[in-house]
Amino acid sequence: MKRKIVLSLSIFLFLFTMTSFKSKKEELIISNLRCEYQSNPLGLDTPAPRFTWNFETSDDRFTQKYYQIKVATSPGLLENGMADIWSSDMIESSRSFSEYKGKPLTSHTKYYWNVVVWDNKERKRDPSPTASFEMGKMSPTTWSAQWITDNHDQNFEPSPLFRKTFISGNEIKSARAYICGLGYYELFLNGQRVGKNYLDPGYTHFDKRVLYVTHDVTSLVKSGENVVAAVLGNGWYNEQSVAVWDFNKARWRNRPRMICEIRIIYKDGTIQTIGTDQSWKTNTGAYLYNSIYSGDIYDASLEEDGWNNTGFNDRNWQQAKITNAPAPILQAQVMPAIRIVREIKPLSVKSFGDSIYVFNMGENFAGLCRLKVKGEAGTVITVRHGELLKENGRLEQGNINVYYHPVQAKEIFQTDIYTLKGGGKEEVFTPGFSYHGFQYVEIKSSKPIVLSTDNLTGLFMHTDLTPLGSFSCSNLLLNKIWNASIQSYQSNIHSIPTDCPQREKNGWTADAHVSVDLGLLNFDGILFYEKWMNDFVDNQNEKGELSGIVPSAGWAYGEWPGPVWDAALFIIPDALYHYYNDTKAIAKVYKTCKIYLDYLKKKEKDGLLTFGLGDWVYYKAITPNDYTSSCYYYFDYVMMASFARLLGKEATTYEQKSNQIKELINSRYFNPETGDYANGTQTAQALALYLGIVPEGKEQLVARKLQKAVMATNHFLDFGLLGSKTVPAMLTKYGFVEDAYKMVTKETAPSWGHWVKENGYSTLAETWTLSPEFHDASINHVFMGDVSAWMSNALAGINLDPAMPGFSHIIIQPRFVNELDRVKGEYLSVNGLIRSEWKREGNRIALSVTIPANTTATVYADKIYRVKSGEHRFILKDIELNYQK
């Protein structure tokens, strides 16, 4: 009787709600219009921009049946239903995505667009708001500017300064600056720094491809006299310091150079262009040295006041020198830039006499410090950064400086040096051409000085990807692990995904592909990763090899680190397809993938691969590298077959090859009686399951052996980066989520909990235990961070459907772990917000789910429910389920 009452009440509420909906207009709002995954972008150079949009509606029955895109040269034309550039056909599709197929787009032109949709009842709905996009340089011939440099060679240390005076007229409509300054630049107009970007442009193989950035400088250009100026840093383009990775020997290395063009459009339609050429003036100034590994050396006493503004006399400056373009491709930088995303005040400061101070920032992060200081002219302030302290409270860099080999006394790892100008005024120093990874800052002054926490501010800097995901639960330890993984991820995105923000700053490929789900579940990363896929194309050598770090100046090509690392070439584009339903990255790398597989085929031994690294940074158990390399060799072919199908190419050859490799792996490494793979480690078992290698019908046997392997270590993990991604996920998939939970929530080593609770780390470490000698062990590494993706997938239950990419159909499958009382996860997918939240209410579990408009979902509770968009609530009591909407 009680259940009948509950169900009757639910039916009443459902009917009442539906009646209410029908009694008012079913409103539909088309929102979040983006072009190339950006809102109203500037400086695009793709001939076929992509358009996406979302829906907001209370009508759970709404689905898009048709859409039509219109593009015009003015918003007024669109408002009148006219499109002078492109009006697409009425396209039948439920996908809120389109690619431009109209007239050729022209450089420097601003376009306006909107979308009209028809619903599943074929009713035409109101058009979307109008959005815009603006093109940059569509071809090399649109550049009137020339590349310039000064008269020094690549070994000269002071940074070059450039300036140009120009006269502009009245009635300015708009002004743009297009600039590529290598290795990094800071641009100024009339003394004002242009934009909020740092460490621009993004890191590439500079002899293959370089990036330019577009800035809106309308507000900075004034009628009359103006000055455009720039200072250039070395970055990765001209690495003057020596480290293991040989960037000081890079084939592209050269003296910093730039190309810059200011384009002013007046209200009467006339255009003025100011471009770099030999008429620009150049000099050096206060930037005496800069290195991506050590830092900046800046002598404020050498500043020429007003050098970047009007009214400055530059008659003693030299003429700029016309120079060669560094690369054949000069391409728009469309990924988000590196920016200061958060300012961090120190928790404490401790003095060691009157000239040494150690600041504790309270958290480990990537970025810089802004120092405010007052003192005598000539006082030298040394600012060193690190993750650890010595027993005496001074800074310890021994865990991160092991691969840096300075040849000059001034080359101090992660150290910025500032010489005061003096004069009684407070001076502010923010380095411009490096970044560091640190929690502690040691400041040493050549003369007595008084400092407090007010003098130093930490600047958390990284590629400014829009956050999309969140997770929280009743277990505070899990929340700390999730926060640490997010902090580690953000600390390791600086125009490429890196391993660590201090010791190396390299684009290690396995680190990136193992953490890609962590990245894409929490950040809007498509443009960031698409840029990196261009770097892979440029990275491949004439043999077909890829290097283990991308970009690379020649280091780590060949059999080490090998196939497990190189698999990023396939895994990253595949992930972008599944998260965004976009095949652009796949099309970009397809030829590179073919060449790479041909290279690997020549390296086979009896059909498999026997070289390369595997489960890197394992705890104790060593999974055979030949096994892991062969597994990823198989997976490469699986993904290649998928790529071929998606692009309409022949896939049978790749399917057959993947099946052959799979048979060979199972023949060599699988015991079908015991369920063991290779030597039966946690990673060996989980990897076979994760990659789909296990013969049909044997999956549960293999998973049971995985569970036993975990139980044998008292639920302690015993793996490296591959196991960190696959073991929790496969335990969960095959019914052992409680075992996975016990593993993840361990608080003593080896465990994630040991890092964040016992050691108090705010980021994830590189090794499960830190050796007393501090040898080669960063504590801001992201490659063990996929555990946070497991939290979103397994505990919150938010999952994509591989058969319906882009979250057009969503799998909600939360695991109601016994020791948890509540879990909440959110993810702003390309189709809109997905939310899954559950909590215990006495002997019941209440599950609330939000599904975005124009999508559907399958919800797993005591049984399977297929639901439409909107908000849904499930009540689980014992094994009964009451559904409420």
Side-chain angles (χ1 to χ4, degrees), residues 157 239-243 248 289-291 293-295 297 397 401 404-415 417:
E157 294 176 350
E239 180 49 60
Q240 296 174 323
S241 298
V242 178
N248 61 304
Y289 179 82
N290 63 89
S291 165
Y293 296 124
S294 53
I297 300 178
Q397 289 188 330
N401 66 2
Y404 184 52
H405 304 312
V407 296
Q408 302 181 74
K410 66 184 179 183
E411 296 178 286
I412 309 170
F413 188 69
Q414 288 214 139
T415 299
I417 301 174

Side-chain angles (χ1 to χ4, degrees), residues 31-69:
S31 61
N32 194 28
L33 273 71
R34 298 195 295 170
C35 178
E36 284 298 294
Y37 299 97
Q38 302 172 76
S39 297
N40 304 322
L42 300 179
L44 301 181
D45 64 357
T46 174
R50 295 165 289 183
F51 304 103
T52 61
W53 57 94
N54 294 150
F55 298 103
E56 298 175 22
T57 180
S58 58
D59 181 6
D60 67 346
R61 296 164 297 177
F62 168 79
T63 56
Q64 172 187 288
K65 186 170 184 180
Y66 304 99
Y67 72 82
Q68 183 179 42
I69 301 287

Side-chain angles (χ1 to χ4, degrees), residues 22 589 747 827:
K22 290 178 181 179
V589 302
E747 297 181 3
Y827 171 59

Side-chain angles (χ1 to χ4, degrees), residues 477-478 481 682 706-707 709-711 713-719 723-724 727-728 731 737-748 750-753 787 790:
L477 179 65
L478 285 183
I481 295 171
Q682 294 175 8
L706 169 61
Q707 184 211 23
V710 171
M711 293 175 67
T713 60
N714 193 26
H715 288 91
F716 278 99
L717 60 84
D718 194 5
F719 45 63
S724 72
V727 171
L731 285 171
V737 68
E738 296 291 346
D739 296 277
Y741 182 83
K742 289 179 182 178
M743 170 183 287
V744 173
T745 54
K746 289 285 188 179
E747 297 181 3
T748 56
S751 68
W752 292 275
V787 65
W790 173 81

Side-chain angles (χ1 to χ4, degrees), residues 35 49 51 68-75 77-78 81-88 98-103 105 109-115 130-133 135:
C35 178
F51 304 103
Q68 183 179 42
I69 301 287
K70 293 186 177 182
V71 179
T73 52
S74 76
L77 288 171
L78 290 181
M82 301 171 63
D84 58 334
I85 300 300
W86 182 46
S87 180
S88 75
S98 185
E99 191 170 59
Y100 180 80
K101 297 179 181 178
K103 299 176 183 178
L105 300 170
T109 305
K110 189 170 187 176
Y111 297 97
Y112 300 85
W113 70 283
N114 67 10
V115 58
T130 298
S132 68
F133 63 96
M135 306 310 294

Side-chain angles (χ1 to χ4, degrees), residues 502-575:
Q502 4 67 12
R503 186 190 64 207
E504 299 189 37
K505 301 183 171 88
N506 281 323
W508 284 99
T509 51
D511 299 47
H513 79 63
V514 166
S515 60
V516 69
D517 291 297
L518 150 66
L520 295 181
L521 275 170
N522 291 290
F523 298 95
D524 190 5
I526 185 168
L527 298 177
F528 173 71
Y529 285 111
E530 284 182 341
K531 178 267 176 190
W532 200 44
M533 290 300 101
N534 284 335
D535 297 333
F536 271 73
V537 173
D538 296 340
N539 177 266
Q540 190 170 51
N541 66 18
E542 65 280 358
K543 297 178 183 178
E545 298 170 331
L546 299 171
S547 64
I549 58 172
V550 176
S552 171
W555 191 82
Y557 280 90
E559 296 187 357
W560 186 95
V564 173
W565 267 245
D566 298 344
L569 175 65
F570 301 86
I571 292 173
I572 302 291
D574 183 68

